[in-house]
Amino acid sequence: MTLSSRQLINTALLAFLALLPFFTDWVGDSFYTGLVARILILAIAALSLNLLIGYGGMVSFGHAAFVGVGAYVVGIGTFHAFEDGVDWMMNGYIQLAFALLVSAVVALTIGAISLRTRGVYFIMITMAFSQMLYFSAVGVETYGADDGLSIYSRSDMLGLIDLNDEKSLYYLIFVSLLLVLFLMHRLIGSAFGNVIRGSKSNEARMRAIGFSPYKYRLTAFVIAGTIAGYAGFLMANLNDFVSPDMMHWTRSGDLIIMILLGGMASLFGPLYGALAFLMLEELLSSIPLTIGGLHVGEYWQLIFGPLLILVVLYARNGVDSFLPGARKGS
Amino acid sequence: MTEQDLLSVEKLVKRYGGLLATDDLSLSVREGELHAIIGPNGAGKTTLIKQLTGEIPSDSGKITFAGQNLKRLSEPGRSHIGLARSFQITSLFQEFTVLENVCLAVQAHNGHSFRFWKKVNKDKNLTDPALDILRRIGLEQRADTAAANLSHGEQRQLEIAVALATKPKLLLLDEPMAGMSKEDSERLVERLIELKSRHTILLVEHDMDAVFSLADRISVLVYGRAIATGTPDEIRNNDDVRQAYLGEEA
């Protein structure tokens, strides 16, 4: 099997990510390991959202809610372990199982209702549901309300892997990304993926040839929500902190921007998009320029906005359109 | 309804506000025949097709297909008991290849699609029957071309191939020759003659030459009503039909 130049670039990127902690060790600055770990977690969330948006044509505007749900499971578990001495709630495997289960159930509920609508209505209703979760989190005083919850101890994986070790946590995140990429690859090429893509392409014809797209779309919604919940589990452990802010609709918007930046017609697009998004944020906000007493870096979004418009207008598939073998048109 | 009727429509009604698109319409399609429906623009031909497939609900009346009342059956459900349609305005999966278009239709009738792992484009259970249909319809050379890149005539052929892939008992063809060149139409008539020997077909078509050469029976629709049904010769000599429809063209 020979690799196309596109596959070579993807492989090179993954190899770089695999070796990153050693580079930062060498430089002696672990800040970048933390930054890239955050990027990879967001890439996992964006990849799961791209199953809905890129392949299924379902523009869900509330995906960050599932990340928040997964993260809160860890936060709440640790909270009760510390405050009430419920030790089993520290157990990382139980936390993980609940993070997946709860986000799946929430996705099932939101999806079952939202997927009865189309287009702008679907966008609005998914956003509304995520805002409901956001305000619920803001309202619960026990779990810190607005201020969120500090996580005093990371999930206890019973010695199999030590999440307090930054390098171990990084590799857990990296391997998770690889698994999610592989899962998406298989999913998109499967009979199920065929139905999801067909329903985006031409729903009327799908019904005419005998498919009921709703149940397949709902399944995709639950799969995507569950993976996002998993991203939340990782995020809580990385940040040692959860807050309602993780679920705010603007966070969902960030995930969509990552997909747009990276290219929604490709498997790796969301990964490139997450990298581009956070790198740009990091770069633009550290521009050392001062005009009339204003630090340009503080207003990085003023530069980011027009850039995004250019991407949408001239590079429909974002980063993906600059890679060799990009699909022309559409 | 007689023994040999595959499809029977009784007193079917569809109202759009004040407009009666289908007005107390009754007709039947016999097992094995090619039954053509002709009528001027706005006669309600496409509306009838949509009512038959369940894309739009009927206000009243009864549709019986293969001995089964279709009232409570959804559009996908009707596909599964053997009703298939082609679209007047080409309705394909444009970014899918020709083969993938047909495979998807085969897949719809090959059990559920909650299969998340196995590569679907290597599944012989789908590609073999799909290639078979492409051969029959004359598109096998274009199997790997994206549907969007086909000529109009080829898209019309694929339109029929996708419908055929659902293994229908009754094929509803909604103006298959729409927008085709004369040569393409003639070639399609050849294909339809071949299809006719294997399938029961309800054909809606404006091309009179095609209709009169293909049909076993013809129904003439005017303002949502069947004003006449009969063999091509009977229709040609029917005074009402001449007045209402053919008269305009003759």
Side-chain angles (χ1 to χ4, degrees):
Chain A
M1 195 178 98
T2 55
L3 296 176
S4 69
S5 46
R6 156 173 298 235
Q7 285 167 322
L8 272 175
I9 293 175
N10 290 339
T11 313
L13 173 68
L14 293 179
F16 172 75
L17 292 173
L19 297 173
L20 184 90
F22 296 99
F23 292 135
T24 53
D25 271 358
W26 187 53
V27 182
D29 188 353
S30 66
F31 167 75
Y32 288 103
T33 312
L35 174 67
V36 174
R38 198 157 77 86
I39 294 175
L40 299 191
I41 294 174
L42 289 169
I44 291 174
L47 271 163
S48 70
L49 179 58
N50 198 36
L51 174 66
L52 303 181
I53 294 184
Y55 294 100
M58 296 169 263
V59 183
S60 171
F61 214 125
H63 209 60
F66 304 118
V67 180
V69 166
Y72 261 93
V73 167
V74 177
I76 292 170
T78 316
F79 174 83
H80 285 295
F82 270 77
E83 298 291 321
D84 310 326
V86 191
D87 283 343
W88 63 266
M89 292 183 86
M90 277 295 299
N91 184 315
Y93 300 99
I94 294 178
Q95 286 182 350
L96 178 57
F98 269 91
L100 299 180
L101 185 71
V102 176
S103 48
V105 170
V106 172
L108 182 66
T109 314
I110 294 178
I113 298 166
S114 308
L115 286 168
R116 297 185 185 278
T117 65
R118 292 279 175 280
V120 177
Y121 301 101
F122 181 75
I123 296 176
M124 294 311 290
I125 199 170
T126 47
M127 187 201 271
F129 272 117
S130 76
Q131 284 299 89
M132 278 165 59
L133 287 169
Y134 166 78
F135 284 114
S136 306
V138 167
V140 183
E141 294 289 342
T142 323
Y143 300 135
D146 250 347
D147 298 329
L149 269 176
S150 282
I151 296 171
Y152 299 114
S153 174
R154 290 181 175 171
S155 302
D156 176 11
M157 305 311 278
L158 307 177
L160 192 68
I161 175 173
D162 180 10
L163 298 189
N164 289 307
D165 177 51
E166 296 301 328
K167 213 180 264 181
S168 305
L169 180 60
Y170 179 86
Y171 278 111
L172 174 65
I173 293 165
F174 176 69
V175 170
S176 302
L177 174 73
L178 291 184
L179 286 176
V180 170
L181 277 170
F182 185 58
L183 179 76
M184 284 297 153
H185 169 69
R186 295 305 297 231
L187 210 54
I188 292 154
S190 72
F192 176 78
N194 226 12
V195 177
I196 293 299
R197 289 188 302 127
S199 303
K200 178 196 181 188
S201 171
N202 189 343
E203 185 175 356
R205 191 63 192 246
M206 285 299 273
R207 296 181 60 78
I209 59 177
F211 283 113
S212 308
Y214 178 79
K215 55 190 180 191
Y216 294 101
R217 284 185 161 143
L218 183 55
T219 307
F221 200 87
V222 173
I223 292 172
T226 310
I227 294 173
Y230 179 65
F233 169 84
L234 295 174
M235 192 64 105
N237 276 297
L238 181 72
N239 292 351
D240 301 312
F241 179 67
V242 288
S243 77
D245 217 39
M246 294 178 80
M247 296 195 264
H248 195 256
W249 68 271
T250 52
R251 297 283 84 75
S252 299
D254 288 348
L255 291 176
I256 295 179
I257 291 172
M258 287 171 204
I259 290 175
L260 284 175
L261 268 181
M264 58 182 181
S266 78
L267 178 66
F268 275 73
L271 172 58
Y272 284 106
L275 281 165
F277 184 96
L278 279 108
M279 293 299 190
L280 280 172
E281 179 178 353
E282 204 62 38
L283 278 175
L284 295 177
S285 62
S286 59
I287 294 177
L289 193 67
T290 308
I291 302 173
L294 293 174
H295 294 288
V296 173
E298 274 179 50
Y299 301 92
W300 66 275
Q301 279 150 326
L302 277 179
I303 308 170
F304 187 71
L307 204 68
L308 192 62
I309 293 173
L310 287 177
V311 167
V312 172
L313 284 178
Y314 297 110
R316 266 298 170 75
N317 270 325
V319 176
D320 190 74
S321 29
F322 300 107
L323 297 180
R327 272 189 270 175
K328 298 277 176 263
S330 77
Chain B
M1 177 166 183
T2 59
E3 281 285 302
Q4 52 188 348
D5 286 346
L6 180 61
L7 175 82
S8 109
V9 174
E10 290 162 70
K11 299 187 171 167
L12 203 64
V13 175
K14 180 69 202 178
R15 244 180 241 103
Y16 287 115
L19 176 80
L20 266 169
T22 308
D23 181 8
D24 217 19
L25 175 71
S26 297
L27 65 88
S28 67
V29 178
R30 292 175 192 151
E31 186 86 54
E33 78 171 339
L34 190 148
H35 191 129
I37 293 183
I38 59 173
N41 280 325
K45 302 183 296 289
T46 296
T47 303
L48 172 64
I49 297 249
K50 287 180 178 173
Q51 283 176 280
L52 293 177
T53 59
E55 188 183 331
I56 55 174
S58 301
D59 294 321
S60 66
K62 186 178 172 194
I63 305 169
T64 314
F65 175 67
Q68 194 172 347
N69 187 342
L70 296 189
K71 191 166 183 63
R72 303 217 168 275
L73 214 53
S74 68
E75 189 184 5
R78 291 181 197 193
S79 165
H80 281 277
I81 61 166
L83 261 179
R85 75 172 283 202
S86 75
F87 287 71
Q88 179 186 359
I89 297 160
T90 306
S91 178
L92 298 166
F93 305 101
Q94 292 287 343
E95 57 277 27
F96 285 43
T97 67
V98 168
L99 181 62
E100 284 169 344
N101 266 274
V102 182
C103 277
L104 194 52
V106 176
Q107 187 188 326
H109 292 258
N110 190 38
H112 67 78
S113 289
F114 288 104
R115 281 166 285 165
F116 302 96
W117 204 250
K118 214 175 123 197
K119 281 214 161 63
V120 74
N121 59 4
K122 297 213 172 93
D123 189 345
K124 288 249 178 280
N125 291 326
L126 306 181
T127 50
D128 284 353
L131 283 168
D132 207 42
I133 286 163
L134 288 180
R135 241 170 262 128
R136 273 171 63 197
I137 213 83
L139 271 179
E140 75 273 23
Q141 258 109 39
R142 305 289 268 159
D144 295 324
T145 309
N149 296 336
L150 294 179
S151 72
H152 178 76
E154 289 170 328
Q155 292 204 349
R156 300 305 296 165
Q157 278 172 275
L158 181 55
E159 194 44 65
I160 296 172
V162 170
L164 269 181
T166 63
K167 289 185 253 167
K169 290 198 188 89
L170 174 62
L171 202 50
L172 308 169
L173 300 179
D174 193 358
E175 297 195 30
M177 280 123 188
M180 270 194 174
S181 67
K182 202 165 163 26
E183 301 82 64
D184 281 345
S185 297
E186 280 163 7
R187 227 171 301 144
L188 190 57
V189 169
E190 300 295 316
R191 301 282 178 199
L192 291 180
I193 289 171
E194 193 266 331
L195 279 184
K196 199 183 132 167
S197 63
R198 300 207 209 178
H199 296 273
T200 310
I201 298 173
L202 185 70
L203 171 73
V204 169
E205 187 50 63
H206 270 301
D207 184 332
M208 287 305 142
D209 292 340
V211 166
F212 279 90
S213 65
L214 282 166
D216 299 307
R217 285 199 303 160
I218 299 173
S219 290
V220 183
L221 228 64
V222 178
Y223 296 122
R225 273 171 185 279
I227 61 165
T229 296
T231 64
D233 279 340
E234 286 166 358
I235 294 298
R236 220 178 258 127
N237 300 319
N238 185 305
D239 288 339
D240 290 341
V241 175
R242 279 167 174 275
Q243 223 172 8
Y245 184 59
L246 294 176
E248 297 169 8
E249 293 196 349

